Structure formats: structure tokens, C-alpha cells
Amino acid sequence: MDCPTLASYFRHYDTLVSDWLSEGFSPRDDYMPEPWWGWSCNGKPLQAVVINLNPGEGGELQSRRCIRCVFGPDFHYRETMANGTLAVHLPDTARWHRNKRELPILKALGLVDARHRDKTVTLPENTLCIEAYPFHSKTFNDSQAKEYWLENPETNFWKFISFAAVASKLVDGALNGIVLVRISWSRWEKLTEDLRPDMEIKREIPATDRNRGRAVEFSFKDKHEALQGVRFVCVWSGGGRNNFPSDLKDIFQQSEIIK
């Protein structure tokens, strides 16, 4: 497992959270940023890499006052993720990532029983979920995200995409070299309109009805070496803004990810 290839990304986001804890951001200063969640290159097999849009509305446990009280000023995001203390402190978040991201993927890949549901407070250790916009908000604001990305596009805008791409090459299984983007294609196009010349659509999977899954597979051309050879697959459905579609296995089959 080539963890050093991810070291710069972990350091980048450790610094992001550390800066928030010590100085705060404005206007993005209500709750702790959650730039990624889950697998932390700690020896567990990585099965999937997912890009999410952003963390939802935060709560008191994610406030600066509470985080500083519980973890102290010397707070390292990756370390608390790896040892499980962040999952214990934020059990609802841990459970959400486990049940909404990791288990649906593992079920679609046939790695866990389709009836399995994790009711415990467990850190999702086999799926790396990376947020396109790492700050909490009740509703997502496209212009706010773009403003943040454009502050330093090489650091902010490309960072989450290349983080996902590099990590996907460490996946042990069918999703090696594949990044799942749990964002609708229309929203992704809107957010990444400046990248359109660099993106090439490879395949589209239409829905048979509104609630069934849809997917668009794309790749990047001639932009950032880390992205070369990586397949990105936008996956969404009309049945739930935050959920994977119920026919995720069928999408994997149509994308020739699994047979």
C-alpha cells in the first residue's frame, strides 16, 4: 500500500482543520470542516473512493468550542480518523457514511450480504469519501463553493479531484482506478464548467424511470498526471439526493466494473 502518495493530501486537510480550529474562517466558520471521511491508509483494504458534494448541516458537536474542548488545540484530523475517536465523537456522521456510502457499495460489489445494515457506531474503514466542498451547509450554494475554489484553484479546486484519483489507484478490488462521484451530472457540469475542455464523456447510462439510477462515466484529458488512467463515474438517482441508487449493482455491471 503506497501511503506516501497520499501524504500531501492528508497534510493539506490536516492544516485546513487546524487553521479552522486556531483562527477560524469567515463566513465558513460555524462547524469543523469535514474534507474527507473513512479510510485513512491505516492498513485496512480500500474498496472504494467516492466524491461527495459537501457535508450537510452541522451540529453542536462539530462546533469549534466543542472540538477544542474534546480534542484540545493539537488536533490532527487524520489521526483522530485513523484511531476512531472522531467516529466516537460524531457517531451520527460515522453511521451515515457507513450506511449511506460504504455498505451500498460493498453490497453492490457482493462483498457483504444485501440485508446487512450497520447499527453500531463504526468508522467506515474500507471507503474513502472526499468532499468537493468541505464546509457544512443546510443547502448547497454553487457560487459559494466556486468562490472558495477560485481563491486558490490549484490547491482547493484540483486538490479533492486529484486526492480521489490517486487514492483510487490504491483500491484493492473491482473499483481500482475508479472514482465514484455521488453528484448528479447536471450539478457536476455546473460546478466544473471551467474544466469542460479537459473532460471526456466515455459512457452514459440512462434511467428506466425517475427513481432508478443514472450514471455518466468520464475521464480527464491532458490535465494533471495524477488523473491519467482514472475513470470517474457520476452516479445519482431521482429518488434521494444523498443516497446511492438502489440499482447500483446494475450500474456497475453496465459500466463493466463487475461482470
Side-chain angles (χ1 to χ4, degrees):
M1 188 176 292
D2 189 13
C3 290
T5 62
L6 295 178
S8 66
Y9 301 102
F10 287 129
R11 283 196 300 269
H12 171 73
Y13 289 122
D14 271 356
T15 300
L16 174 76
V17 177
S18 177
D19 287 348
W20 168 85
L21 188 64
S22 59
E23 301 174 10
F25 295 157
S26 180
R28 303 178 293 267
D29 60 355
D30 290 337
Y31 305 112
M32 179 188 73
E34 292 177 13
W36 59 274
W37 197 276
W39 183 84
S40 55
C41 211
N42 58 356
K44 305 288 185 180
L46 176 61
Q47 301 289 349
V49 176
V50 183
I51 290 177
N52 293 318
L53 189 57
N54 76 307
E57 188 175 16
E60 178 60 26
L61 291 178
Q62 293 144 310
S63 69
R64 184 178 293 104
R65 179 188 61 80
C66 188
I67 293 294
R68 184 182 285 127
C69 176
V70 172
F71 296 105
D74 189 24
F75 174 62
H76 298 283
Y77 189 81
R78 183 197 172 198
E79 181 179 314
T80 57
M81 187 71 71
N83 64 27
T85 56
L86 195 57
V88 172
H89 179 67
L90 299 174
D92 290 342
T93 303
R95 194 178 295 109
W96 188 95
H97 279 278
R98 176 73 171 160
N99 288 328
K100 298 288 190 178
R101 291 294 179 263
E102 183 160 281
L103 287 179
I105 293 171
L106 297 183
K107 289 175 184 177
L109 293 174
L111 298 177
V112 298
D113 188 278
R115 296 167 295 179
H116 182 78
R117 181 173 176 81
D118 189 350
K119 298 180 181 179
T120 61
V121 181
T122 359
L123 178 67
E125 294 181 313
N126 301 106
T127 302
L128 174 62
C129 291
I130 298 168
E131 305 294 334
Y133 180 70
F135 305 101
H136 293 266
S137 61
K138 185 174 181 179
T139 57
F140 186 75
N141 186 314
D142 293 335
S143 61
Q144 187 180 36
K146 281 198 169 185
E147 180 183 345
Y148 164 71
W149 287 333
L150 292 175
E151 288 171 6
N152 188 339
E154 285 300 310
T155 297
N156 296 328
F157 190 65
W158 280 108
K159 184 65 70 174
F160 76 89
I161 298 176
S162 59
F163 183 18
V166 173
S168 75
K169 298 174 184 178
L170 303 182
V171 167
D172 180 17
L175 293 174
N176 178 271
I178 296 172
V179 174
L180 301 178
V181 183
R182 225 320 299 165
I183 302 171
S184 72
W185 180 246
S186 59
R187 168 55 65 76
W188 179 259
E189 278 192 308
K190 186 185 297 183
L191 292 173
T192 60
E193 61 182 345
D194 294 337
L195 307 183
R196 204 162 296 160
D198 301 311
M199 293 193 297
E200 181 179 11
I201 295 177
K202 300 288 188 180
R203 180 194 327 254
E204 295 185 52
I205 298 174
T208 54
D209 63 65
R210 182 181 180 277
N211 292 324
R212 290 183 66 78
R214 286 167 282 178
V216 174
E217 180 184 332
F218 64 97
S219 62
F220 286 91
K221 305 176 294 183
D222 304 322
K223 186 74 174 181
H224 289 258
E225 183 179 351
L227 308 182
Q228 300 310 303
V230 176
R231 299 164 60 189
F232 291 79
V233 184
C234 267
V235 183
W236 77 102
S237 71
R241 186 172 67 87
N242 289 317
N243 296 333
F244 275 119
S246 58
D247 58 342
L248 185 58
K249 180 177 180 179
D250 184 54
I251 288 174
F252 283 173
Q253 289 173 332
Q254 291 189 63
S255 299
E256 299 178 356
I257 293 170
I258 60 175
K259 303 300 183 184

